Amino acid sequence: MTCEEARERLDDHVNGDLSADVAADLARHLAVCQGCRTEERELRALLARASSLARDVTPERDLWPEIRDRIERRSVDAFFEVGSWATWRTAAAAVLILATTAVVSYWLGRSSVTFPPSAGAESPGATLAGGVETEFAEARLKLRAWLADNRGSLPPDSLQRIEGNLRVIDDSIAQIRAALDKDPTSPELNRLLLATYRREVQLLQRANAWSARI
Amino acid sequence: MRADEPERGWEVVRGSAGSDSEDAVWVRQARAGDLAAFERIYDKFHRRIYGLCLRMSGDRSAAEELVQETFVRVWQKLHLVEAQRNFPAWLYRVAVNVVLSDRRSARRRARFIDSRQDPLDAERPRPGAGPAGHEASLDLERAMENLPPRARAVFVLHDIEGRRHEEIAHLTGVAVGTSKAQLHRARRLLREALRP
């Protein structure tokens, strides 16, 4: 066996994949060839280092919040893509069920949005999301005002679609608020409410940007 | 390979903490829409998946995105996996798919940007980062980052993750002989990079 043949077989050799005959030939070569023995030693050392590497590696930052946001965003988008009242009722029922389970403690522990006590509030659902909801409310008021002022600049069919989507969103917000009146401390409902506001603002922002382009 | 194919390689991730039945319970809960249960799945497996993505991509930022894409995709496809079956192996296969498809997308984007580019360029070490220019003190992780992408992927799957060539060929869509050739190349380049 030549050195070239031996080195071609070293990978299979260290993997234990050589037949007995070829393995014996290689062993004879290694016994008399220091260069190939060095190659074999280096290869085994490399594999030992590779196998000693920890398979678990901790990321430098917490990747979960973005995963959670992407999952939630897709859920809301999927809901609004359908947008039917029947679908909404089903989704709302599911949310109410979720809100009464261990999910509540999960959201209370993980959410970046705080949920102050609702005692004394005129409308508990209106206060739970605090300043975040106020910011969304201001943004949506501005964008709704823009839409009212610029109805004439939008193609009729586009305007019809935008206003149809906004009606669905309004219905959804009303339903979420009604559910919040019954369960004002539900973090899941609050998150859904904020996600719905966010969806509305995004829709209006897209319409605004699109209108500017045309 | 599709993510919903029967699971293999379950033994690769069986060593993670916790019991199989615990996984099965969480998977069932997550399939019902319980995001808290899915977070427990993430907490248990994300380091394993991150390690895989980091070494296969050779890029920390890309690995973070690949982990996120993996878990988002897993959430979307949970209905395809049976809770009692080998969820960790299925998760692992989804992650490998995500990494490989991302590499293929990156290559397509590169070719689109410059149609004159030699497709084999992606297989060459980055300029100035090749084994020949490496200091002897480079550790294995650093040396792996500078491997050509295909050779690195095969090395990670075979020599770190413990996969056999037949499975690597199945996962990556290449012939077994090609997988062996890439492994041979990766080991040679790494030995050269790590020599004193």
Side-chain angles (χ1 to χ4, degrees):
Chain A
M1 182 178 286
T2 65
C3 287
E4 185 179 355
E5 290 170 334
R7 293 178 188 191
E8 282 177 359
R9 288 164 172 76
L10 281 179
D11 278 328
D12 285 339
H13 171 58
V14 297
N15 290 345
D17 290 340
L18 287 181
S19 66
D21 289 348
V22 177
D25 283 347
L26 180 62
R28 280 192 289 275
H29 178 85
L30 291 174
V32 297
C33 180
Q34 186 173 355
C36 287
R37 279 203 307 277
T38 301
E39 290 273 332
E40 184 203 20
R41 191 167 57 248
E42 283 182 353
L43 183 53
R44 290 193 184 279
L46 172 66
L47 298 188
R49 288 178 78 167
S51 63
S52 70
L53 291 176
R55 290 178 177 178
D56 286 6
V57 181
T58 303
E60 290 183 351
R61 64 187 181 93
D62 185 2
L63 304 177
W64 172 253
E66 287 174 49
I67 295 170
R68 181 196 61 210
D69 288 349
R70 284 178 62 182
I71 289 172
E72 287 179 338
R73 195 161 59 240
R74 283 174 189 238
S75 300
V76 173
D77 285 348
F79 168 70
F80 283 116
E81 277 171 15
V82 179
S84 72
W85 186 251
T87 305
W88 160 247
R89 288 174 66 88
T90 305
V95 166
L96 287 171
I97 292 168
L98 281 173
T100 60
T101 67
V103 175
V104 170
S105 58
Y106 160 76
W107 285 116
L108 283 170
R110 296 292 300 223
S111 175
S112 59
V113 178
T114 55
F115 303 100
S118 59
E122 188 179 25
S123 173
T127 62
L128 286 175
V132 179
E133 186 184 14
T134 304
E135 288 177 22
F136 272 118
E138 288 173 0
R140 64 195 291 259
L141 276 176
K142 286 179 186 172
L143 287 165
R144 292 256 183 176
W146 164 84
L147 183 65
D149 292 342
N150 292 273
R151 289 172 57 88
S153 65
L154 293 168
D157 57 336
S158 300
L159 181 64
Q160 192 175 0
R161 277 203 301 276
I162 292 169
E163 291 184 332
N165 281 330
L166 288 174
R167 277 195 296 276
V168 171
I169 291 172
D170 284 344
D171 288 343
S172 303
I173 289 172
Q175 285 297 306
I176 296 168
R177 285 186 165 285
L180 272 169
D181 285 342
K182 295 175 184 171
D183 185 7
T185 60
S186 166
E188 181 70 15
L189 286 170
N190 276 276
R191 185 170 291 280
L192 189 60
L193 180 63
L194 291 179
T196 309
Y197 279 139
R198 186 164 56 231
R199 185 71 172 83
E200 178 185 18
V201 170
Q202 285 171 347
L203 173 67
L204 288 164
Q205 284 174 331
R206 279 204 301 272
N208 183 300
W210 181 62
S211 170
R213 283 200 301 274
I214 62 174
Chain B
M1 183 192 67
R2 301 193 331 262
D4 54 336
E5 285 181 346
E7 301 86 352
R8 294 191 303 167
W10 154 237
E11 72 285 352
V12 172
V13 283
R14 188 182 281 278
S16 301
S19 67
D20 299 352
S21 59
E22 181 183 62
D23 296 344
V25 170
W26 292 344
V27 168
R28 270 196 298 274
Q29 291 171 337
R31 284 178 62 175
D34 185 343
L35 200 52
F38 191 61
E39 187 185 8
R40 286 191 285 274
I41 292 172
Y42 168 83
D43 282 341
K44 178 172 177 178
F45 293 108
H46 78 278
R47 292 174 198 82
R48 182 78 176 78
I49 299 302
Y50 179 70
L52 174 73
C53 292
L54 179 62
R55 288 174 178 135
M56 283 190 73
S57 69
D59 182 276
R60 193 169 298 276
S61 174
E64 291 174 353
E65 291 177 14
L66 292 165
V67 169
Q68 290 171 334
E69 178 61 27
T70 295
F71 279 94
V72 169
R73 204 173 289 188
V74 164
W75 170 266
Q76 292 170 324
K77 293 177 178 289
L78 271 176
H79 63 283
L80 297 174
V81 65
E82 294 175 28
Q84 293 79 6
R85 297 190 65 186
N86 296 341
F87 173 77
W90 180 77
L91 168 64
Y92 180 92
R93 287 165 61 86
V94 172
V96 171
N97 261 343
V98 166
V99 174
L100 293 174
S101 62
D102 182 72
R103 279 183 46 220
R104 286 190 282 264
S105 300
R107 274 205 302 276
R108 278 196 298 272
R109 282 196 298 274
R111 288 174 191 174
F112 178 77
I113 291 168
D114 183 0
S115 60
R116 295 165 301 175
Q117 182 183 348
D118 178 356
L120 293 177
D121 279 352
E123 286 300 285
R124 295 180 184 134
R126 292 191 291 275
H134 278 199
E135 296 295 326
S137 60
L138 269 180
D139 64 11
L140 180 56
E141 298 272 15
R142 278 287 304 281
M144 282 166 47
E145 287 178 10
N146 292 307
L147 285 175
R150 288 180 195 167
R152 181 174 60 234
V154 174
F155 179 79
V156 170
L157 290 171
H158 191 281
D159 285 349
I160 297 179
E161 300 290 330
R163 299 284 167 146
R164 297 192 63 80
H165 282 297
E166 290 73 15
E167 185 172 8
I168 294 170
H170 184 57
L171 284 165
T172 60
V174 300
V176 169
T178 304
S179 176
K180 287 186 175 184
Q182 293 288 0
L183 181 65
H184 179 75
R185 185 184 185 198
R187 287 172 169 178
R188 177 176 54 79
L189 291 172
L190 287 173
R191 279 186 285 134
E192 288 172 4
L194 295 168
R195 272 181 194 141

